[in-house]
Amino acid sequence: MPTGAAIPSLLISACFLLMLLSQPLWLCSASLGKPLYHEEECSALLGFKSSFFSESHCDYGDGIIGSPQKMLSWKVAKEGMAGDCCNWGGVTCDEGDGHVISLDLSGSCLMGIMDSEASIFDLLHLQDLNLAYNWFKRSRVPSAIGRLPRLKWLNLSSSGFSGEVVPATMRFLNLSSLDLSGNPGMNVSSLEVWLQSLNKIEELDLSWVRLHGAIPSSLGNMTNLTMLDLGGNMLSGDIPSSLGNLIRLNRLNLFSNQLAGEIPSFLGSLTNLRTLDLSDNRLSGKIRSTLGNLIRLNELGLRFNQLAGEIPSSLGNLTNLMMLRLSQNGLSGEIPSSFGNLIRLDELDLSSNQLAGKIPSSIRNLTGLTYLDLSSNELSGLLPHSIYQLQNLYSLDLSSNYLTGVARLDLLLELNGIMNVGLSSNAFSSIIFPEANASVTQVESLYLNSLDLKEVPGFLQQQNMLNTLSLSKNDISGCIPQWLLEKALDYLELSFNNIQGTLPMPPSTISFYRISNNRLFGEIPSSICKLQNMLVLDLADNNFTGELPPCFGNFSSHLYALSLRGNNFAGKIPKFNREGCQLSVVDLSANSFEGTLPRSIANCDQLEYVNLGKNKIIDTIPSCLGWFPRLRVLMLHSNMFHGVLKACGNDSCFPNLKVITLSKNNLQGRLTAEYFKNWPEMKYPTPDDEAPPGNLVDMLKMVIIDKGIKREFGKTSGYFALLDLSSNNFIGTIPESIGDNLLKLHTLNLSNNHFSGPIPLSLAKLSRLEALDLSRNKLSGEIPAMLMQVTSLEIFNVSYNNLSGPIPVGNQFSTSEVWETTAALTKFGAQSRAEVELDTGSGVDHSRDRTCRGFDRGGGVGAGVW
Ligand SMILES: *[C@@H]1O[C@H](CO)[C@@H](O)[C@H](O)[C@H]1NC(C)=O
Ligand SMILES: *[C@@H]1O[C@H](CO)[C@@H](O)[C@H](O)[C@H]1NC(C)=O
Ligand SMILES: *[C@@H]1O[C@H](CO)[C@@H](O)[C@H](O)[C@H]1NC(C)=O
Ligand SMILES: *[C@@H]1O[C@H](CO)[C@@H](O)[C@H](O)[C@H]1NC(C)=O
Ligand SMILES: *[C@@H]1O[C@H](CO)[C@@H](O)[C@H](O)[C@H]1NC(C)=O
Ligand SMILES: *[C@@H]1O[C@H](CO)[C@@H](O)[C@H](O)[C@H]1NC(C)=O
Ligand SMILES: *[C@@H]1O[C@H](CO)[C@@H](O)[C@H](O)[C@H]1NC(C)=O
Ligand SMILES: *[C@@H]1O[C@H](CO)[C@@H](O)[C@H](O)[C@H]1NC(C)=O
Ligand SMILES: *[C@@H]1O[C@H](CO)[C@@H](O)[C@H](O)[C@H]1NC(C)=O
Ligand SMILES: *[C@@H]1O[C@H](CO)[C@@H](O)[C@H](O)[C@H]1NC(C)=O
Ligand SMILES: *[C@@H]1O[C@H](CO)[C@@H](O)[C@H](O)[C@H]1NC(C)=O
């Protein structure tokens, strides 16, 4: 019999003490003979609640917001007794024996460190446990999960678990569904070992858990899998052919990994697939026409790969498709007219390929389209009229093609739901805008670049929802109408026009403002500092004058990118804010800034790109620049920097620096060996051409590419490492440590200094060097024959030195006519006036712009660019 007074008076339930396996158990029932719940299971649940639940945990601050609803229904029935938990939120009991078999506590405001002592592990009858969307504070997955003998469904998605998941944890389980997705602190060091313990699995979601290495081919043994999601990891290698055994799969997601090779042919036989997403990998080759067999597909994602060739017309057989994403590949040929059969399509994204020909008129069939992106292709011909009849369109981007004829923006804006339209950079003969005051749809964003517009279109005056407007590279002259500046714009792009007058002051909502390459003049008023939302400000290449207002330093504290390049600004560079500085890109080059570089720049430790070249700064080079963890480009050329270069005395000096130009200053002294020892980014031969992060790409295009150094900083190319110390007063020998440490250098320019001694042998280690200019120094001795092993070297200038001895013969030079003729005339002596300039091109990719890389004959870098 029960002890004490804890027994309820059987108003709604009766409890009996059973002796099972020598463990006392309370079995309670509403009416005799029909068990409903087990008191000790219910109190285990209450224990769990008291350890982990709090309403105040519902907002975890990282976008996961739970609801307290389920847990609030978990209440003690009577003092000392939990009561019937089978009707609590998220709890399901077996109708027959009253045991808790399912617990769905997803998004229930649970927080705290969980270990194997947690009382839910006493629920030995659990079959289904869902703890997704909670915050378990980087707990490891408790091994006690392995003690739940009947568990079939386990869901720990996005719940803050971390650390190695021990295979043994799963050993005793016969799971049919496992979801560990979205726990980026986790790591699974051997998926293969793991899989052996999951031989009953049907649904496996291991996306965003930091898997790495190859996809184990033993996955193909798990032939009952219906869902496999390994997206968002670091998986590499090919997609193993054994996955062809997984004929029951209806969802296969491998997006955002580093998978290579071709799209495997077996995929065409996984005919149960409804979702196939291989986006954001390194897949190459053609899209196989057998993908057209997957007639149940609703979603097909192949974007961000390196696929080439034509789009197979068989994809037109996928009549159940709702989403098709093939963007950011190298696809060519025409858009198959068979796409007219994809009548259930909601989203079609073919952007950023090389698709040519006309937009097929069969597009008229796609009446359900809400999102159509054909931008950045080579499409030509007239815009099919059927575009204007896609009544459900929300977003349409046709930018950057060769479309001709009349573009009827007026008709597009009659579509009821339209929000975003891009028509930029086409060959339209004209654009018909809506009449002023016409009742058209209120849109949010319009991209109308490079369309020969002579003025800001008047209909915009009635567009009151507009937040993004891009009108760059048109022929807009005169002033910007005041009504435009009074809209609640977030993004305004007016670069490359003929806009005149003083700075048009955008509204306070603005965060992105570019009005570079216009004819603006006058001073920057201090009212600009009131634009507290500004992130990107580009006023480059105008004719602004005067000093920056003193508040500019504070203003810059929340800016991400600032370009004032190519104006006539004078006076001192304002102090940077002490409270903090988010600047990542700053370009003040080609102005008349004077005075010193404010030391408060030390607060801007997020800087990645700094160009202060071509000003009148008189200063020494502050050593704090060496500490910026992200700094990649530092250009201080053509100023009056003086003094000696100091090693920053720090192991973490210039961890990311790849481009440094200090040419045309008054720097002096010797280069110490130490100076070049601590640039890890230059030293370790990791893949050279990685892209800079996200938004920075655009800014870098703006600050560099527009200026003539035509290097694409896109997905496939990055910075070319460059060191330019030319035209200063450096003395002493060239340290061997340059060649020993700066292994990634593409360009080294030490010309026009007072360097003496021999050419360092170590320079032969710079296997990527394309241009080496040591001219106009006092170097002596012979030209090291080993230098000729640098096969990438295209430009080599050692003229105006005191060199002697034979001219070395190397693989790439010996065949060169230039070399033969020049060599015959040239002695490497002080009296020699001839320059040795080699450009043999053997084995070198000439597709890149030549002016980008070399030295011009005057010894400066980049032919007058700097
Ligand atoms: C898992 O399934 C196997 C048979 O497939 C069975 O022998 C084993 O007992 C099961 N494990 C559990 C914990 O139920
Ligand atoms: C897995 O994570 C743990 C804890 O963070 C770490 O100690 C261990 O080195 C990691 N293992 C691998 C292979 O990354
Ligand atoms: C895991 O739980 C979350 C939240 O309830 C749900 O969205 C997700 O689909 C579940 N995973 C599986 C594999 O069922
Ligand atoms: C696959 O599922 C079936 C039942 O649907 C089962 O009989 C079979 O044992 C399972 N196979 C494996 C390898 O688990
Ligand atoms: C599992 O797959 C691997 C590789 O595909 C294979 O060698 C092995 O024989 C398979 N094991 C079973 C039990 O089917
Ligand atoms: C699939 O498409 C191709 C090419 O468009 C066509 O020849 C073939 O008959 C289609 N197959 C089916 C089953 O519709
Ligand atoms: C439009 O779709 C229908 C099926 O609904 C199809 O028969 C027809 O061929 C399609 N038209 C074009 C031009 O693709
Ligand atoms: C548009 O409407 C405004 C007032 O609502 C009026 O002043 C203006 O004249 C109208 N413009 C045209 C072209 O009808
Ligand atoms: C820039 O302004 C100066 C006077 O401040 C003027 O002399 C010069 O012509 C202007 N340049 C251009 C390109 O408008
Ligand atoms: C900059 O902000 C600080 C407080 O953050 C303030 O004390 C200072 O006066 C401001 N400077 C200017 C020039 O506005
Ligand atoms: C080294 O760099 C860090 C910043 O990364 C800085 O805080 C520290 O003072 C530097 N140490 C020396 C000796 O300069």
Side-chain angles (χ1 to χ4, degrees):
M1 283 304 294
T3 52
I7 297 302
S9 52
L10 302 185
L11 273 177
I12 41 165
S13 62
C15 298
F16 301 92
L17 179 66
L18 297 181
M19 300 302 288
L20 279 179
L21 303 168
S22 81
Q23 273 199 314
L25 284 179
W26 285 107
L27 184 66
C28 306
S29 64
S31 58
L32 292 180
K34 187 157 184 281
L36 267 187
Y37 69 98
H38 293 258
E39 171 65 21
E40 82 293 340
E41 290 186 350
C42 298
S43 54
L45 287 175
L46 278 185
F48 186 70
K49 176 182 175 182
S50 68
S51 306
F52 293 98
F53 174 71
S54 158
E55 260 185 276
S56 61
H57 296 160
C58 279
D59 184 351
Y60 303 105
D62 46 6
I64 301 175
I65 297 171
S67 151
Q69 222 54 43
K70 290 177 198 163
M71 300 300 270
L72 288 176
S73 67
W74 293 24
K75 292 205 184 95
V76 186
K78 193 136 192 167
E79 199 183 331
M81 291 297 284
D84 184 356
C85 54
C86 293
N87 53 27
W88 291 353
V91 181
T92 309
C93 297
D94 185 291
E95 284 188 3
D97 63 15
H99 284 293
V100 176
I101 54 171
S102 167
L103 208 47
D104 178 359
L105 301 180
S106 60
S108 293
C109 318
L110 304 173
M111 181 163 96
I113 307 249
M114 180 170 340
D115 58 21
S116 289
E117 304 302 311
S119 55
I120 42 168
F121 299 120
D122 297 336
L123 304 172
L124 297 180
H125 294 261
L126 263 191
Q127 298 173 16
D128 183 0
L129 177 59
N130 189 342
L131 297 174
Y133 303 128
N134 289 294
W135 175 234
F136 293 108
K137 293 187 159 179
R138 305 192 182 86
S139 308
R140 314 197 73 185
V141 175
S143 60
I145 284 182
R147 294 201 312 251
L148 299 174
R150 297 169 200 209
L151 202 61
K152 279 199 162 57
W153 297 275
L154 177 60
N155 191 338
L156 303 180
S157 173
S158 305
S159 50
F161 281 104
S162 76
E164 187 76 39
V165 183
V166 189
T169 308
M170 306 292 163
R171 186 183 304 153
F172 305 107
L173 298 175
N174 285 326
L175 286 178
S176 89
S177 172
L178 175 62
D179 187 346
L180 300 180
S181 62
N183 289 295
M186 262 187 197
N187 60 32
V188 177
S189 46
S190 176
L191 183 56
E192 189 147 20
V193 175
W194 242 64
L195 293 176
Q196 290 164 10
S197 43
L198 293 173
N199 52 8
K200 290 273 169 60
I201 200 82
E202 292 174 14
E203 296 179 327
L204 182 59
D205 190 342
L206 297 177
S207 56
W208 308 106
V209 295
R210 289 205 311 192
L211 293 176
H212 35 81
I215 298 180
S217 59
S218 54
L219 249 186
N221 295 343
M222 314 183 97
T223 52
N224 279 355
L225 272 180
T226 58
M227 189 268 264
L228 177 61
D229 193 336
L230 303 177
N233 286 299
M234 293 169 285
L235 297 167
S236 52
D238 291 355
I239 300 174
S241 59
S242 64
L243 297 196
N245 300 334
L246 305 180
I247 50 169
R248 297 188 187 189
L249 275 183
N250 61 51
R251 184 161 121 203
L252 177 58
N253 284 346
L254 302 174
F255 61 85
S256 294
N257 280 292
Q258 291 151 26
L259 299 169
E262 302 205 347
I263 296 178
S265 57
F266 69 77
L267 283 179
S269 45
L270 300 181
T271 51
N272 285 308
L273 281 177
R274 284 172 170 76
T275 301
L276 175 60
D277 194 349
L278 308 178
S279 298
D280 197 7
N281 279 291
R282 296 173 185 166
L283 300 172
S284 54
K286 294 187 171 186
I287 299 180
R288 291 181 189 268
S289 63
T290 50
L291 288 187
N293 300 338
L294 305 178
I295 52 169
R296 293 197 171 90
L297 272 187
N298 297 136
E299 298 184 10
L300 176 58
L302 300 173
R303 63 180 173 181
F304 288 109
N305 277 293
Q306 294 152 24
L307 300 169
E310 300 198 356
I311 301 177
S313 68
S314 64
L315 293 193
N317 293 345
L318 303 177
T319 51
N320 286 307
L321 269 189
M322 297 167 72
M323 190 186 85
L324 178 57
R325 293 178 176 159
L326 306 178
S327 56
Q328 304 274 354
N329 280 290
L331 300 170
S332 54
E334 302 199 355
I335 300 175
S337 62
S338 64
F339 275 17
N341 295 322
L342 305 179
I343 52 174
R344 297 186 62 195
L345 265 190
D346 175 68
E347 174 180 340
L348 177 59
D349 184 0
L350 305 177
S351 62
S352 297
N353 280 293
Q354 289 142 34
L355 298 170
K358 293 185 174 184
I359 299 176
S361 59
S362 62
I363 203 160
R364 88 171 66 90
N365 256 5
L366 310 186
T367 51
L369 276 183
T370 64
Y371 183 99
L372 177 59
D373 190 350
L374 305 177
S375 64
S376 298
N377 277 293
E378 293 161 18
L379 299 169
S380 57
L382 300 176
L383 209 49
H385 205 75
S386 43
I387 288 262
Y388 306 116
Q389 273 134 36
L390 298 175
Q391 290 296 335
N392 289 302
L393 270 189
Y394 168 85
S395 187
L396 172 68
D397 197 352
L398 304 173
S399 300
S400 300
N401 280 292
Y402 305 118
L403 298 168
T404 51
V406 179
R408 299 288 308 263
L409 188 60
D410 59 335
L411 296 183
L412 283 174
L413 297 195
E414 282 175 12
L415 299 172
N416 273 335
I418 196 87
M419 279 293 169
N420 313 304
V421 179
L423 300 176
S424 299
S425 303
N426 275 291
F428 297 125
S429 58
S430 67
I431 298 191
I432 299 186
F433 295 109
E435 305 263 330
N437 291 2
S439 70
V440 290
T441 307
Q442 301 277 321
V443 296
E444 285 179 357
S445 54
L446 279 173
Y447 294 86
L448 302 171
N449 306 319
S450 298
L451 293 172
D452 261 334
L453 304 182
K454 308 286 186 224
E455 56 183 18
V456 177
F459 80 96
L460 292 175
Q461 191 163 1
Q462 282 84 41
Q463 288 287 328
N464 298 322
M465 305 290 282
L466 202 63
N467 62 39
T468 299
L469 178 64
S470 197
L471 295 172
S472 71
K473 297 186 180 152
N474 281 296
D475 198 14
I476 299 171
S477 55
C479 299
I480 294 299
Q482 190 56 33
W483 53 255
L484 182 63
L485 303 171
E486 284 164 6
K487 295 192 175 295
L489 292 171
D490 169 47
Y491 178 111
L492 179 59
E493 158 81 89
L494 297 167
S495 296
F496 293 93
N497 279 292
N498 279 312
I499 300 166
Q500 281 156 359
T502 55
L503 178 66
M505 200 55 72
S508 61
T509 47
I510 202 86
S511 68
F512 185 108
Y513 186 38
R514 292 186 66 185
I515 191 162
S516 64
N517 294 80
N518 278 289
R519 304 207 294 180
L520 301 172
F521 52 80
E523 301 196 359
I524 306 292
S526 59
S527 57
I528 198 167
C529 301
K530 295 190 183 130
L531 304 176
Q532 290 291 318
N533 294 310
M534 191 83 85
L535 295 174
V536 173
L537 176 62
D538 179 9
L539 306 179
D541 296 314
N542 280 289
N543 203 3
F544 291 113
T545 51
E547 301 194 9
L548 295 178
C551 66
F552 210 85
N554 279 2
F555 174 59
S556 65
S557 68
H558 53 86
L559 279 182
Y560 172 82
L562 170 68
S563 179
L564 304 177
R565 183 197 61 211
N567 282 288
N568 292 312
F569 288 112
K572 293 191 164 187
I573 298 174
K575 289 197 171 82
F576 297 88
N577 196 329
R578 300 216 169 273
E579 312 281 298
C581 173
Q582 305 299 318
L583 272 176
S584 180
V585 173
V586 60
D587 188 346
L588 306 181
S589 65
N591 280 290
S592 299
F593 286 111
E594 56 196 33
T596 56
L597 177 58
R599 290 304 185 263
S600 50
I601 197 173
N603 300 327
C604 305
D605 60 359
Q606 302 299 303
L607 280 170
E608 295 187 34
Y609 178 101
V610 176
N611 189 352
L612 306 177
K614 284 195 176 171
N615 278 293
K616 297 174 181 163
I617 301 169
I618 305 179
D619 204 346
T620 54
I621 293 186
S623 56
C624 68
L625 292 175
W627 303 337
F628 291 164
R630 300 173 179 219
L631 193 64
R632 289 169 159 268
V633 176
L634 177 61
M635 301 206 261
L636 303 177
H637 56 278
S638 302
N639 277 290
M640 287 175 262
F641 283 102
H642 55 84
V644 296
L645 287 186
K646 283 181 232 141
C648 78
N650 205 322
D651 281 348
S652 54
C653 218
F654 292 132
N656 273 303
L657 196 63
K658 280 186 92 173
V659 172
I660 180 164
T661 65
L662 304 178
S663 53
K664 296 186 181 155
N665 279 291
N666 295 323
L667 297 166
Q668 56 192 204
R670 294 165 192 276
L671 297 183
T672 64
E674 282 65 38
Y675 203 75
F676 302 100
K677 281 191 177 159
N678 290 324
W679 296 5
E681 174 57 32
M682 293 277 220
K683 190 165 185 176
Y684 301 110
T686 50
D688 197 31
D689 291 336
E690 92 253 26
N695 295 337
L696 193 62
V697 176
D698 269 339
M699 278 311 284
L700 288 172
K701 277 188 175 152
M702 168 187 111
V703 289
I704 305 183
I705 300 217
D706 288 352
K707 197 64 186 165
I709 309 174
K710 291 204 169 69
R711 280 175 191 152
E712 285 289 330
F713 291 105
K715 200 181 179 189
T716 51
S717 62
Y719 302 98
F720 287 90
L722 179 156
L723 174 62
D724 185 359
L725 304 180
S726 64
S727 301
N728 279 289
N729 294 312
F730 291 115
I731 57 168
T733 54
I734 299 173
E736 290 278 353
S737 64
I738 290 185
D740 289 333
N741 292 287
L742 309 186
L743 297 178
K744 288 183 176 178
L745 274 184
H746 281 247
T747 298
L748 175 61
N749 190 349
L750 303 177
S751 68
N752 208 10
N753 278 291
H754 309 294
F755 288 115
S756 55
I759 296 177
L761 286 175
S762 67
L763 295 187
K765 295 180 192 169
L766 302 178
S767 61
R768 299 175 184 186
L769 203 60
E770 292 179 5
L772 174 62
D773 191 345
L774 304 176
S775 66
R776 293 172 201 269
N777 278 293
K778 296 174 182 158
L779 299 170
S780 55
E782 298 190 359
I783 301 175
M786 274 165 67
L787 263 185
M788 301 304 120
Q789 292 166 9
V790 182
T791 52
S792 55
L793 204 57
E794 282 187 77
I795 293 171
F796 177 62
N797 191 346
V798 292
S799 61
Y800 299 100
N801 276 296
N802 301 326
L803 298 165
S804 56
I807 300 162
V809 177
N811 292 338
Q812 82 277 37
F813 291 160
S814 54
T815 56
S816 161
E817 254 178 62
V818 180
W819 173 261
E820 306 291 0
T821 49
T822 319
L825 300 171
T826 306
K827 302 232 182 333
F828 293 91
Q831 284 75 36
S832 164
R833 297 259 124 199
E835 292 185 2
V836 180
E837 191 171 317
L838 297 177
D839 195 350
T840 69
S842 53
V844 180
D845 173 12
H846 279 275
S847 60
R848 275 176 280 149
D849 189 326
R850 313 215 115 247
T851 63
C852 301
R853 287 171 290 164
F855 302 104
D856 68 312
R857 286 180 179 261
V861 176
V865 168
W866 293 328

